[in-house]
Amino acid sequence: MQPMSLLIVTGILFVGSHLLLSHPLRAPLADRMGERAFQIVYSVVAVATLILVVQAWRGMPPEPPLWVVDDPLWALASLIVLFASILFMGSLIGNPALPAPGAAFAAQAAPRGVFAITRHPMMWAFALWAFAHALAMPTPAQIVLSAIIAVLALVGSAGQDAKKARLMGDAWRHWAARTSFIPFARQVSGITPWGDAIPRGHALAGGLVLWLVATWAHGALGTMAAGIWRWIGG
């Protein structure tokens, strides 16, 4: 099998198995196997298919970039990753989409910060991270890998809407009615004030730290310098 074909096939296995086990197959398998056994199977399948994707990506031959990546494009990609980092850190506190006992209680709060931007800030963080990497490293292999991550994040979050509505009932439906799937959709439409979408302190501070550390790690691990380190490092 050609390297690109292998990457695509392993990507389909990774995304497909994750979505199937997260949604249509989860309830029947968990009922039959028990929740603990199901979680073990789910984790094994997720890790195994992810390893296949990583190995396929590493096995790709060198490829020329599809477009020139200059400083303005690097700056844009870096800002997208910074925004994604803020979304991610903000999603860790008070997120009704997370499988936490207090999810229904969190859904009663007024959407503020990253939750006023989108009700799936964590998933959009992954999708934006993938998009930024495709911008800054525009090889066919990287674009396919980024597409795999983005599809899993966004299709998975759409499936999460349906699952949460089933599990949480009116609590989730009320939350969904006051939030948007697409980032800033409610602000653009004039439904929600832009001020509500200002990320809170833990999201801003945590996102900045995450962004600085993650972009620094690019150079520290021997890959290309990223973020502000691309210019600071000279």
Side-chain angles (χ1 to χ4, degrees):
M1 185 178 291
Q2 294 295 318
M4 179 58 77
S5 299
L6 182 61
L7 179 60
I8 293 172
V9 169
T10 55
I12 292 173
L13 285 174
F14 174 62
V15 174
S17 62
H18 187 94
L19 294 178
L20 286 172
L21 291 174
S22 296
H23 302 292
L25 296 182
R26 181 184 182 90
L29 288 178
D31 289 342
R32 178 173 297 183
M33 304 168 59
E35 185 64 31
R36 186 176 183 84
F38 173 79
Q39 288 293 343
I40 293 173
V41 171
Y42 179 90
S43 299
V44 169
V45 172
V47 171
T49 52
L50 177 59
I51 290 173
L52 290 176
V53 171
V54 172
Q55 292 300 319
W57 184 69
R58 287 180 174 175
M60 290 293 297
E63 299 172 310
L66 299 178
W67 55 79
V68 175
V69 182
D70 53 11
D71 279 350
L73 191 55
W74 263 106
L76 174 61
S78 297
L79 289 174
I80 292 173
V81 173
L82 174 58
F83 178 58
S85 300
I86 292 171
L87 287 179
F88 179 81
M89 295 305 293
S91 74
L92 299 179
I93 298 177
N95 188 353
L98 294 178
F105 178 78
Q108 297 176 18
R112 293 288 186 272
V114 298
F115 301 111
I117 297 173
T118 171
R119 64 175 166 272
H120 292 293
M122 182 179 290
M123 296 300 191
W124 274 101
F126 292 134
L128 290 172
W129 175 88
F131 176 65
H133 280 72
L135 280 181
M137 294 178 284
T139 63
Q142 180 60 55
I143 290 172
V144 169
L145 181 63
S146 292
I148 290 169
I149 296 169
V151 167
L152 177 59
L154 298 183
V155 175
S157 58
Q160 192 176 51
D161 274 343
K163 182 172 71 175
K164 282 290 184 175
R166 184 176 66 254
L167 295 175
M168 294 173 55
D170 289 341
W172 180 263
R173 283 187 283 270
H174 184 54
W175 174 255
R178 295 177 296 145
T179 56
S180 64
F181 184 90
I182 304 297
F184 297 112
R186 292 177 66 86
Q187 286 75 27
V188 171
S189 63
I191 299 173
T192 300
W194 285 93
D196 288 357
I198 298 174
R200 294 186 174 184
H202 69 276
L204 289 172
L208 179 60
V209 171
L210 176 62
W211 178 70
L212 288 172
V213 171
T215 52
W216 170 83
H218 270 273
L221 295 175
T223 59
M224 62 182 69
I228 62 172
W229 312 108
R230 181 174 178 83
W231 293 278
I232 291 178

